[in-house]
Amino acid sequence: MVVCGGDNVLAHRLTAELRGVYGEQVVLVVPPAGRGEPNRLTGRARTTALIGRITAAVSRTTGNGNGSANGNGNGQGNGDGGTADLPRTLEAPELTDDVLVDAGVPQAAALALMHDDDETNIRTALAARRLNPRLRLVIRLYNRKLGQHVEELLDQAAAVAGLATNDASVTVLSDADTAAPALAATAVAGTSKVVHADGLLLRAVERTPPAPGQVAPRGLATLALLSSTANDPAGAEGSDDSGIGAGPLLLPDDDAVAAAPGRGALVLEAVSYSGSALPPGFLAGRGVPLRELFSRRLRWSVAGFAAAVVGMAIASIVTTEDTTPLHATYLTLLDLFSINDPATEGPMSRQILQLLAGLVGLLLLPILFAAVLEALGTFRSASSLRRPPRGLSGHVVLLGLGKIGTRVLARLRELDIPVVCVEADPEARGISLARRLRVPTVIGDVTEEGVLEAAKVHRAHALLALTSADTINLEAALYARSVKPDLRVALRLYDDEFATAVYRTLRAAHPGALTRSRSVSALAAPAFAGAMMGRQILGALPVERSVLLFAALDVSLQPQLTGRKIAEVFRPGAWRVVALERSSEEEPGLSSGLEWELDPDYVLRPDDRVVLAATRQGLAELLARRPLPAQP
């Protein structure tokens, strides 16, 4: 398998996933030293060293060895559990046809294009398809609409050539879309974690441990038992795996759930066909809310003016004989607009009311003038960024509006969660989305004094630090905790060891506050690896520092599933059927629709299709092309 990824983190993690979990032979194509991302490891020796560390970490997690791998410039690594051959690394400034041939694309089973530039990935995919028509392609694209068109185009080309098989499949994925629901869920307690792909919606929620004497509500399936307990609500997310009960327990059976009544759980709540859309932009829909057009002070002024008119109309009815309410109101409006004859011959009460009406009428002109100015200002500011309003509290402060931050912002607004964004670059990718959604945004460097204060971090509910620099995220989190010690913090950190150290330190300093660290590449890499193996990976859910994958599989392609009952298929800690799409007995080509309330005695037929929740090692056992080494 070939991975072309520039020199970004996701390409390294995908290579380690394929090598350490699936046991595949991998060729990694990277640019020469000095041409990669800033502050990232570049060059052949540094790349193999990084792959060695990640492969050793994956091996320790999955049980393939217990030790560290030391990489060198020759691409070899040694671990305590045996010799671990590191992937071959090929340095090339550009992905030309000759470079693809040197990487073995004509003979490869799959190619992953992981560059940050969508154009580079598309151009390379077209060239690779010419070199190997049967090549399985996995393309990383941020533009979702463009990705759908590219996927359809390449699939049609394979169909025309008579190669429309699983080997010539094309999968377009986005690491931002994979990680956004999980990152948004870490910021708000009780928020569902969502996997959404091809119209399929799976929603899971983290449930806190029940109080003594209470029974936790049950969902469709328990996906994991968390490390959090009734005595430790924050959990032991960053703890070592050596302790009993430390870390999450993935895909437990009923006996394991019953034996841990005091632990939190990740429960699957719903599986359905559904769609999600961004909230409507400014002035979208049939009407425009007055609070968007006019300020609160102006609305109160108009209300006071209307009350004065009503009061004077009532006074005119009371003091004037032989008049109807409609006529009295008409006379009052004439007096307000100064178009009535003076009541020089009228009674004293009428003269006084006319003077008061004229005085109130003078107040009408500045109110109308202010309304016109505010309306014009509102329409003009629709194309500008909003400032955080006074009195804002209970919101989420989102740092960074890059690729990841933009997707997380869209997800938070879908959940109708108030957000204040902080971005140093006024031309960042997510600025246009924040402007369209009317999200308050502070332009400035988060490390400078006064920027987080402008975002009202002292009144915020949570802080999401999603910039691409670990040090900036850590600095912002530490400063925010000094302002508000109980602030809920979620950090985007690349290095796992660094993330663990940060978690332990912050938790020791602030034991009553929740701290979470997430790696976008670590979350997205298992989904990309599953797609490299030729299966539709719907998405991934983070379970503390672990990952749970959802995959759609045809039963006919899985001998472990065909002809067995759903209850027999379930393997605790490996995989579990969470949804079923039966084939029609009368017409095998037709589907009866998705079922999520499963009959454990139903026997899976070859024409059925299932949605599995699986661990990384469990999915590797299902999809591996060659036998994996026996696990202890």
Side-chain angles (χ1 to χ4, degrees):
M1 295 187 173
V2 181
V3 177
C4 301
D7 200 26
N8 58 60
V9 177
L10 182 57
H12 295 304
R13 289 197 178 274
L14 173 59
T15 304
E17 195 84 15
L18 292 172
R19 188 71 191 97
V21 178
Y22 293 91
E24 294 288 337
Q25 299 295 328
V26 187
V27 176
L28 176 63
V29 182
V30 298
R35 297 187 52 137
E37 297 180 0
N39 300 325
R40 297 298 185 196
L41 296 177
T42 56
R44 185 188 303 265
R46 297 178 182 178
T47 301
T48 52
L50 176 60
I51 295 296
R53 291 200 301 270
I54 297 177
T55 304
V58 172
S59 299
R60 289 195 301 269
T61 303
T62 58
N64 292 335
N66 46 5
S68 60
N70 299 319
N72 53 40
N74 297 325
Q76 299 293 327
N78 298 322
D80 295 343
T83 301
D85 295 332
L86 292 174
R88 173 192 168 200
T89 302
L90 177 65
E91 294 184 355
E94 295 182 2
L95 292 178
T96 61
D97 289 353
D98 294 337
V99 172
L100 295 178
V101 172
D102 292 341
V105 169
Q107 299 82 27
L111 169 67
L113 300 171
M114 313 300 293
H115 287 83
D116 295 328
D117 183 17
D118 289 357
E119 181 181 354
T120 301
N121 291 333
I122 295 174
R123 183 175 65 251
T124 308
L126 297 175
R129 178 63 84 202
R130 293 195 305 268
L131 294 174
N132 188 349
R134 296 183 178 275
L135 183 68
R136 185 182 308 122
L137 292 172
V138 178
I139 309 173
R140 172 193 181 189
L141 291 181
Y142 180 79
N143 191 327
R144 290 175 289 188
K145 186 176 297 185
L146 176 62
Q148 293 176 357
H149 295 322
V150 171
E151 187 172 355
E152 294 173 359
L153 175 64
L154 293 175
D155 284 339
Q156 289 175 0
V160 171
L163 300 173
T165 64
N166 190 56
D167 291 335
S169 64
V170 180
T171 305
V172 176
L173 295 175
S174 170
D175 55 331
D177 290 333
T178 303
L183 292 172
T186 58
V188 183
T191 301
S192 298
K193 298 181 180 181
V194 176
V195 171
H196 184 275
D198 295 334
L200 184 63
L201 180 71
L202 300 99
R203 185 174 72 248
V205 63
E206 288 188 5
R207 290 180 175 169
T208 57
Q214 294 183 353
V215 179
R218 295 182 61 86
L220 298 178
T222 300
L223 300 179
L225 291 175
L226 307 176
S227 62
S228 59
T229 62
N231 297 327
D232 185 13
E237 182 172 310
S239 300
D240 295 327
D241 295 333
S242 57
I244 299 176
L249 178 61
L250 302 181
L251 300 177
D253 54 13
D254 294 338
D255 294 337
V257 174
R263 294 180 66 174
L266 179 67
V267 179
L268 183 66
E269 282 194 334
V271 182
S272 61
Y273 285 114
S274 179
S276 60
L278 290 175
F282 179 71
L283 302 185
R286 297 183 177 180
V288 180
L290 290 178
R291 60 188 178 89
E292 294 287 346
L293 282 176
F294 306 117
S295 65
R296 182 179 180 183
R297 183 179 301 176
L298 181 60
R299 295 198 303 269
W300 276 110
S301 300
V302 174
F305 180 81
V309 172
V310 173
M312 286 185 295
I314 295 175
S316 179
I317 295 173
V318 174
T319 58
T320 305
E321 298 179 358
D322 299 332
T323 184
T324 62
L326 181 61
H327 183 68
T329 304
Y330 174 69
L331 293 177
T332 301
L333 293 177
L334 290 178
D335 293 334
L336 287 173
F337 298 128
S338 301
I339 58 177
N340 193 21
D341 294 333
T344 55
E345 303 297 334
M348 183 62 67
S349 59
R350 169 64 181 153
Q351 294 177 358
I352 295 175
L353 285 176
Q354 192 175 56
L355 291 175
L356 293 176
L359 180 61
V360 175
L362 293 176
L363 301 177
L364 178 62
L365 182 60
I367 292 178
L368 293 177
F369 187 67
V372 171
L373 291 181
E374 286 202 4
L376 292 176
T378 301
F379 282 105
R380 184 166 54 251
S381 63
S383 60
S384 61
L385 293 172
R386 290 184 59 193
R387 299 290 298 175
R390 295 181 179 179
L392 179 65
S393 62
H395 57 286
V396 174
V397 177
L398 175 61
L399 308 183
L401 286 177
K403 295 194 304 181
I404 305 301
T406 302
R407 291 287 192 256
V408 173
L409 173 60
R411 173 62 185 158
L412 291 174
R413 293 307 300 136
E414 288 176 6
L415 300 173
D416 199 23
I417 296 173
V419 185
V420 174
C421 300
V422 179
E423 173 58 50
D425 183 9
E427 303 297 329
R429 187 189 298 265
I431 292 295
S432 59
L433 178 64
R435 181 182 295 113
R436 181 167 63 88
L437 299 181
R438 302 287 294 156
V439 175
T441 304
V442 178
I443 301 297
D445 189 351
V446 69
T447 60
E448 295 180 355
E449 186 177 355
V451 174
L452 284 178
E453 286 80 356
K456 305 291 191 298
V457 70
H458 58 286
R459 300 178 183 171
H461 169 74
L463 173 71
L464 265 177
L466 303 182
T467 69
S468 57
D470 291 358
T471 55
I472 293 179
N473 294 335
L474 178 59
E475 182 178 353
L478 294 175
Y479 180 77
R481 277 284 171 81
S482 67
V483 175
K484 187 178 182 181
D486 60 342
L487 182 68
R488 186 184 185 98
V489 172
L491 299 171
R492 175 189 176 187
L493 299 176
Y494 160 69
D495 188 81
D496 289 334
E497 296 181 358
F498 179 57
T500 302
V502 168
Y503 172 83
R504 293 173 179 170
T505 304
L506 288 178
R507 189 181 179 199
H510 305 279
L514 291 179
T515 304
R516 293 292 181 262
S517 59
R518 294 288 179 260
S519 171
V520 175
S521 59
L523 178 62
F528 279 85
M532 290 283 283
M533 300 303 299
R535 295 297 181 267
Q536 182 187 8
I537 304 300
L538 302 177
L541 289 182
V543 186
E544 299 183 3
R545 302 297 298 175
S546 303
V547 176
L548 197 61
L549 300 173
F550 289 89
L553 303 179
D554 294 327
V555 176
S556 59
L557 301 177
Q558 305 299 328
Q560 301 95 324
L561 307 180
T562 306
R564 303 182 62 186
K565 297 180 180 179
I566 292 181
E568 297 174 348
V569 167
F570 174 41
R571 278 190 53 186
W575 61 72
R576 177 174 190 163
V577 178
V578 296
L580 170 66
E581 191 174 7
R582 304 189 192 187
S583 60
S584 176
E585 296 182 357
E586 294 79 8
E587 301 183 33
L590 296 179
S591 171
S592 60
L594 192 68
E595 301 178 18
W596 53 88
E597 294 182 0
L598 304 177
D599 180 9
D601 295 329
Y602 176 77
V603 178
L604 295 174
R605 300 195 298 267
D607 294 332
D608 293 339
R609 199 162 184 259
V610 296
V611 176
L612 283 180
T615 61
R616 298 157 73 187
Q617 184 65 21
L619 190 63
E621 294 181 15
L622 284 173
L623 306 184
R625 298 184 299 166
R626 57 179 63 90
L628 295 176
Q631 302 300 319

